Every structure is written in structure tokens, then in C-alpha cells.
Amino acid sequence: GRATLAAVPANLRVLVEQTRSAPASVDLVVWPENAIGFSIAANPGLMQQAAAALPPGAHLLLGAPREVDAGDGAAFRNSAFLLDRSGEV
């Protein structure tokens, strides 16, 4: 099954809690490069849970692996993603 926020590494839970405590005036929250070690495309529900911690109108900029077609199979590239509060990229 898919991961839930309760089952992910402690560092992701800490980032979500810190995001949740951001002032309402914040419009951009930035997480570290490769803050999450899993594919966003494969775990949209988890990213929706994380993005829901954002203040209204804010966005989340984070680094995560992105799967790309390498011709002879899939490869992963470190990428930056900008999410809205609903978890949409």
C-alpha cells in the first residue's frame, strides 16, 4: 500500500510540523534539497497530507526524486517541486 504520514521517516514528520507552525503571512515554505526520498508521483496522498500543513495561499518548494525514461528503463533525477496547499504540483 501507499505510505501514510505516520509511517514515514521522522525528518519528514518534523518538516510537516515546522510547516504547520509557520505564520499565516508566509506565502512560500522551502524544504531542503531531497527533503523526501520518495517519488511524489508515486505518493500523491502523502504529499497532499504534507501540503495541507501550509498556511492558506502558501506554496511548498521541496526537492525529491523524479522518475524519467532513460531509454533502457527508468532513472531518477533530483528535482525541485512547487506544491500548492492541495498537494498539486
Side-chain angles (χ1 to χ4, degrees):
R2 297 282 183 222
T4 63
L5 199 52
V8 298
N11 62 325
L12 182 56
R13 287 194 302 273
V14 168
L15 288 168
V16 169
E17 287 305 314
Q18 289 175 337
T19 299
R20 190 170 284 124
S21 67
S25 61
V26 167
D27 57 7
L28 180 65
V29 174
V30 180
W31 286 4
E33 180 180 7
N34 207 24
I36 58 174
F38 56 82
S39 168
I40 290 178
N43 293 282
L46 186 57
M47 292 319 310
Q48 289 170 345
Q49 292 176 53
L54 288 165
H59 288 82
L60 174 61
L61 180 64
L62 62 95
R66 176 178 49 95
E67 191 173 350
V68 296
D69 183 7
D72 59 348
F76 289 92
R77 303 287 186 261
N78 193 18
S79 301
F81 296 90
L82 183 65
L83 305 175
D84 66 15
R85 195 162 188 244
S86 69
E88 292 294 316
V89 177

